[in-house]
């Protein structure tokens, strides 16, 4: 295992960084650790570094000082120095672990809450599941003095194995001031019954249907990839993995072996934000539901420990992940990242006029991790294909968020799953940050549309169409939306590197899962997540421009991040650039999404476009069907058939 400057902070390094900043800055129990992240080296520093060189390692630590109500940004060198210490007046931290414990205890012992529960027939507070939600809209006027607050939707869990989301408690919430762990208001609207239809999903409750025979993935000679520390080599791909408390899975330094020459494609790729605006009406606090699962919750805090044969099938290599929590304790998640190969059907095929057939099966390398944030699961899957394609797919599953309503009552923004059990409409909007370096750092982005002239001199038969390429020369020009009618895509080219036909080499971003945000741009969430109103943004690469809604979205007034940076309208041609792509799902819940939602997929592709001379998958070896057998009961050869016979 060869250490590298891009490796995630190890458990020992996390502990050391916390220890150094505590000692050097005289921190105490009032200082909580919001995020402890690798302070990544610059591209110049990376280029200068060689295997075996000493590494300068540092952590970027965001600290919340509870006593002062002050957020502090710091950079802590593992050589024992604090290199940056900058208070950030006006910025707020989201609710942090030790605070949550105290605040939930306060809410669960508040006499008004207990009385409200009793009136709803719930006497046992241990059966109440309270969640801690940020205010996705304005804080109520009488509480709006700048303090940090959260509110508590509640659910009843009548038995230990019950699905609590089947039993939302209607009209009762505590609003808690985080810094003082004090319940500052209790909202109690009577007359909404708690839905009683259970939502069982455990095996012990549903039983397992056994109609299908086992399916095993066998790789008799083992996996085809190698893992050296955090570096992966598979087929012609070489890249590094990372994991970060804020973004979860990170992909670094992606390279492809093009007939013996290793060519760089991407420097760093991640999902830099995930925002979930709920489109619910104002009833019972429901309009407040809007959360930044990356910027407020820290996606990497919720990384699952994966299990072989269930989350992943085949020859698997796992990597452990680690985070430091708000109290500075380091937690290791065993098997947090899954690495494996998957068969993806045919890669290409042709039957010649003379009957000669050439066909190749395709395979892809998969790096994945799954996070559980309250009711929802998000899988992040990065795929590397043999034709040079990089694909990102988010897999959304888990349990839809529920609220209670009067059974049968009209609710225009929610689906009634069972009597009185509502699943409000909502969107899951992801923003990918793609720091591509296509054959080097100097890149230009073009928007490519398919266009047709009207029938006439330029288009005599009316069938002709062409492509129109618009260089996205500056940040204001580079705020774009999808256009499926023009088959729009965006191509990142290196203007100084040409292919065999004299055209600049490029990779194109194929938009997928595009969605339009339903929230008004002037709403609180519309201002706070302003990035979602353009599917594409392009910015010059800057080490401190990492999160599209800004560094600290919690109770922020908005317009931070992309809208703020791009106001400078910086030039983008032949620059080191970053693409920001927003995609996701518009979730109108179905009754079939209950009780646990079957996986919903969304994502995008990066495809070579004039990057290679020809298909890089053309010389893939044919697969030998050692384990093929017919299960056709009418097949001629009885020997080969091991399937069912009639
Ligand atoms: Ni959803």
């Amino acid at each position: 295992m060869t250490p590298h400057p891009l490796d995630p902070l190890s458990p020992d390094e996390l502990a050391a960084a916390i220890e150094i900043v505590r000692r050097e800055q005289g921190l105490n129990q009032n200082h909580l650790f919001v995020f402890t992240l690798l302070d990544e080296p610059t591209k110049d520093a990376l280029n200068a570094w060689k295997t075996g060189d000493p590494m300068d390692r540092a952590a970027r630590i965001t600290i919340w000082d509870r006593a002062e109500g002050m957020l502090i940004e710091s950079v802590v060198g593992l050589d024992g120095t604090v290199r940056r210490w900058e208070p950030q007046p006006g910025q707020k931290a989201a609710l942090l672990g030790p605070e949550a414990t105290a605040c939930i205890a306060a809410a669960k012992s508040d006499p008004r809450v207990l009385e409200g529960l009793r009136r709803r027939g719930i006497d046992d507070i241990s059966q109440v599941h309270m969640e801690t939600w940020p205010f996705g809209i304005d804080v109520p006027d009488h509480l709006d003095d700048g303090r940090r607050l959260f509110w508590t939707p509640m659910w009843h869990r009548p038995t230990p194995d019950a699905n609590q989301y089947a039993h939302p408690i209607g009209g009762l919430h505590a609003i808690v001031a985080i810094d003082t762990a004090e319940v500052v208001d209790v909202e109690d609207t009577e007359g909404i019954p708690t839905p009683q239809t259970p939502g069982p999903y455990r095996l012990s409750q549903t039983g397992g249907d056994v109609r299908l025979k086992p399916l095993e993935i066998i790789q008799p000679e083992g996996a085809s990839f190698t893992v050296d520390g955090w570096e992966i080599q598979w087929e012609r791909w070489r890249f590094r993995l990372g994991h970060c408390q804020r973004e979860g899975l990170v992909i670094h330094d992606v390279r492809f072996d093009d007939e013996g020459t290793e060519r760089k494609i991407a420097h760093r790729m991640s999902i830099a934000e995930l925002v979930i605006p709920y489109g619910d009406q104002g009833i019972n606090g429901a309009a407040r539901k809007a959360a930044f699962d990356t910027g407020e919750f820290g996606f990497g805090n919720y990384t699952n420990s994966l299990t072989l044969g269930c989350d992943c099938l085949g020859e698997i290599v796992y990597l452990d992940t680690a985070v430091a929590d708000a109290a500075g304790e380091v937690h290791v998640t065993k098997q947090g990242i899954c690495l494996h190969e998957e068969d993806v059907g045919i890669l290409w095929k042709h039957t010649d006029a003379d009957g000669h057939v050439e066909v190749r099966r395709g395979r892809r390398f998969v790096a994945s991790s799954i996070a559980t944030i309250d009711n929802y699961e998000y899988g992040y899957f990065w795929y590397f294909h043999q034709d040079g394609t990089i694909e990102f797919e988010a897999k959304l599953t888990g349990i839809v968020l529920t609220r209670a309503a009067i059974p049968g009552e009209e609710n225009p923004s929610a689906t009634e799953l069972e009597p009185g059990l509502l699943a409000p409409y909502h969107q899951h909007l992801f923003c990918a940050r793609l720091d591509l370096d296509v054959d080097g750092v100097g890149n230009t982005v073009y928007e490519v549309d398919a266009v047709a002239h009207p029938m006439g001199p330029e288009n005599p038969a009316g069938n002709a169409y062409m492509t129109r390429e618009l260089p996205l020369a500056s940040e204001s020009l580079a705020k774009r939306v999808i256009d499926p009618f023009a088959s729009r895509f965006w191509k990142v080219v290196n203007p100084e590197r040409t292919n065999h036909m004299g055209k600049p080499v490029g990779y194109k971003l194929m938009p997928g899962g595009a969605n339009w945000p339903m929230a008004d741009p002037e709403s609180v969430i519309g201002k706070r997540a302003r990035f979602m109103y353009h599917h594409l943004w392009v910015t010059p690469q800057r080490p401190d421009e990492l999160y599209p809604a800004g560094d600290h979205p919690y109770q922020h007034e908005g317009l931070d991040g992309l809208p703020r940076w791009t106001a400078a309208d910086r030039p983008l041609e032949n620059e080191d650039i970053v693409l920001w792509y927003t995609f996701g799902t518009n979730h109108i819940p179905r009754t079939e999404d209950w009780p646990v939602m079957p996986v919903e997929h969304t994502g995008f592709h990066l495809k070579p476009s004039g990057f290679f001379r020809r298909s890089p998958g053309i010389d893939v070896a044919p697969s030998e069907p050692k384990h093929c057998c017919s299960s056709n009961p009418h097949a001629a050869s009885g020997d080969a058939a091991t399937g069912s016979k009639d």
Side-chain angles (χ1 to χ4, degrees):
M1 172 165 170
T2 317
H4 187 277
L6 290 172
D7 287 352
L9 293 169
S10 69
D12 286 348
E13 288 177 317
L14 286 166
I18 298 279
E19 164 61 26
I20 291 164
V21 72
R22 273 189 173 143
R23 184 184 67 223
E24 296 298 310
Q25 296 298 132
L27 306 188
N28 58 39
Q29 298 299 317
N30 282 324
H31 296 91
L32 299 177
F33 301 95
V34 183
F35 291 116
T36 304
L37 312 171
L38 173 68
D39 186 42
E40 291 177 20
T42 62
K43 290 186 190 184
D44 286 345
L46 264 182
N47 290 336
W49 184 85
K50 302 216 171 15
T51 304
D53 284 358
M55 288 195 296
D56 177 51
R57 299 277 281 171
R60 211 151 39 83
I61 308 184
T62 305
I63 293 160
W64 176 250
D65 180 344
R66 287 198 275 187
E68 300 293 326
M70 182 62 72
L71 198 79
I72 298 149
E73 293 289 12
S74 72
V75 172
V76 179
L78 289 171
D79 57 0
T81 58
V82 174
R83 301 173 188 179
R84 181 185 174 204
W85 183 263
E86 285 177 21
Q88 308 286 315
Q91 304 279 20
K92 292 184 177 65
L95 177 70
L96 299 165
E99 297 175 318
T101 309
C103 288
I104 287 287
K108 285 195 165 183
S109 59
D110 187 278
R112 295 163 292 180
V113 170
L114 295 173
E115 176 53 27
L117 289 168
R118 257 194 301 277
R119 276 202 316 279
R120 289 165 174 79
I122 300 167
D123 295 317
D124 183 354
I125 191 69
S126 75
Q127 294 181 343
V128 174
H129 172 72
M130 271 188 200
E131 287 182 2
T132 55
W133 277 70
F135 272 82
I137 58 171
D138 284 323
V139 169
D141 282 344
H142 67 290
L143 301 172
D144 191 12
D145 58 1
R147 59 186 148 178
R148 296 153 72 220
L149 298 163
F150 72 89
W151 68 290
T152 62
M154 301 181 203
W155 290 264
H156 185 216
R157 192 184 183 93
T159 58
D161 61 354
N163 175 356
Q164 74 249 5
Y165 294 106
H167 312 294
I169 297 166
L172 182 65
H173 329 106
I175 297 174
V176 185
I178 299 172
D179 295 300
T180 52
E182 173 196 5
V183 177
V184 291
D185 205 354
V186 173
E187 298 168 328
D188 190 348
T189 312
E190 290 193 62
I192 305 161
T194 304
Q196 294 300 320
T197 314
Y201 67 88
R202 296 185 183 203
L203 180 61
S204 58
Q205 298 159 333
T206 62
D209 185 296
V210 290
R211 268 172 278 202
L212 297 185
K213 296 181 176 61
L215 174 67
E216 305 278 351
I217 306 292
I218 298 163
Q219 293 180 266
E221 296 172 34
S224 303
F225 57 93
T226 57
V227 181
D228 177 13
W230 293 85
E231 186 187 73
I232 313 298
Q233 189 129 24
W234 178 76
E235 214 229 15
R236 288 160 216 212
W237 291 101
R238 189 164 72 92
F239 53 92
R240 307 193 67 82
L241 289 171
H243 179 269
C244 125
Q245 187 180 18
R246 181 153 179 161
E247 299 170 290
L249 196 53
V250 180
I251 308 293
H252 293 288
D253 200 20
V254 181
R255 293 157 188 270
F256 194 94
D257 180 347
D258 179 15
E259 299 183 0
T261 304
E262 196 175 65
R263 299 173 66 187
K264 190 161 174 178
I265 298 163
H267 180 71
R268 188 185 193 279
M269 302 190 292
S270 64
I271 304 303
E273 193 51 271
L274 164 57
V275 62
I276 303 100
Y278 276 78
D280 211 347
Q281 310 285 307
I283 308 152
N284 300 320
R288 292 177 188 140
K289 287 180 188 142
F292 292 82
D293 278 2
T294 305
E296 289 178 333
F297 285 80
F299 197 84
N301 283 320
Y302 300 92
T303 300
N304 288 186
S305 181
L306 302 168
T307 43
L308 187 60
C310 297
D311 294 297
C312 323
L313 208 53
E315 288 289 323
I316 311 291
V317 173
Y318 291 105
L319 297 174
D320 298 344
T321 61
V323 297
D325 70 14
E329 294 293 319
V330 176
H331 299 270
V332 173
T333 299
K334 288 278 172 200
Q335 308 194 161
I337 297 173
C338 170
L339 310 174
H340 75 298
E341 296 167 277
E342 284 178 352
D343 180 284
V344 276
I346 59 169
L347 175 63
W348 59 266
K349 174 171 185 169
H350 183 60
T351 302
D352 206 351
D354 65 3
H356 178 86
V357 180
E358 294 281 347
V359 58
R360 302 292 185 275
R361 285 201 75 78
R363 217 189 284 187
R364 64 186 179 191
F365 180 84
V366 190
S368 66
S369 75
I370 299 176
T372 303
I373 303 179
D374 284 336
N375 54 310
Y376 244 85
E377 264 76 11
Y378 295 98
Y380 282 4
F381 288 71
W382 289 91
Y383 302 123
F384 296 84
H385 293 264
Q386 291 167 295
D387 66 353
T389 298
I390 301 167
E391 180 184 358
F392 175 79
E393 181 180 59
K395 297 188 184 184
L396 286 67
T397 180
I399 302 179
V400 290
L401 197 75
T402 55
R403 72 170 172 88
I406 294 162
E409 189 185 68
E410 181 79 4
N411 280 289
S413 303
T415 305
E416 194 167 2
L417 302 172
E418 297 283 1
L421 180 67
L422 294 197
Y425 300 173
H426 58 277
Q427 295 180 289
H428 304 261
L429 297 173
F430 302 81
C431 185
R433 182 180 183 277
L434 306 169
D435 179 355
L436 302 189
D437 283 355
V438 177
D439 261 348
V441 292
N443 288 173
T444 303
V445 186
Y446 286 85
E447 179 169 279
V448 184
D449 282 356
V451 291
H453 287 294
M455 228 162 139
E458 286 176 294
N459 187 6
N463 62 311
Y465 71 99
M466 49 190 266
T467 52
R468 186 171 55 210
E469 299 200 351
L470 171 71
L472 304 182
S474 74
E475 288 178 302
S476 61
L477 257 176
K479 300 176 187 182
R480 312 306 296 175
V481 293
I482 57 155
D483 185 355
F485 298 104
S487 301
R488 176 170 291 172
F489 61 84
W490 296 288
K491 190 158 83 169
V492 183
V493 307
N494 185 327
E496 289 173 1
R497 295 291 297 273
T498 52
N499 62 21
H500 62 295
M501 297 307 294
K503 297 280 181 19
V505 297
Y507 252 76
K508 66 177 178 179
L509 168 61
M510 297 295 291
N515 248 279
W516 188 248
M518 300 308 294
D520 191 289
E522 293 308 315
S523 65
V524 170
I525 190 64
K527 283 188 276 196
R528 222 175 267 166
R530 184 56 64 84
F531 70 85
M532 61 187 176
Y533 297 92
H534 296 284
H535 297 112
L536 181 78
W537 304 65
V538 188
T539 59
Q541 199 266 10
R542 297 285 183 272
D544 56 347
E545 295 181 3
L546 295 171
Y547 311 116
D551 290 351
H552 306 293
Y554 199 82
Q555 284 181 223
H556 195 280
E557 70 272 13
L559 304 183
D560 201 0
L562 282 169
R564 183 166 64 81
W565 309 324
T566 58
D569 197 19
R570 295 167 290 190
L572 297 173
E573 284 181 295
N574 201 7
E575 294 282 342
D576 187 359
I577 44 122
V578 174
L579 282 75
W580 307 76
Y581 178 60
T582 297
F583 61 98
T585 64
N586 191 338
H587 193 176
I588 312 293
R590 306 170 299 147
T591 52
E592 295 85 353
D593 289 337
W594 182 254
V596 178
M597 182 174 119
V599 170
E600 190 84 17
H601 307 260
T602 185
F604 61 88
H605 293 77
L606 293 163
K607 280 177 172 287
S609 181
F611 189 78
F612 299 110
R613 180 176 192 133
R614 53 183 190 161
S615 165
I618 202 67
D619 61 348
V620 166
S623 41
E624 291 174 41
K626 284 187 185 123
H627 298 277
C628 264
C629 42
S630 169
S631 60
N632 180 351
H634 305 295
S637 162
D639 291 340
T642 55
S644 64
K645 300 214 191 298
D646 56 8

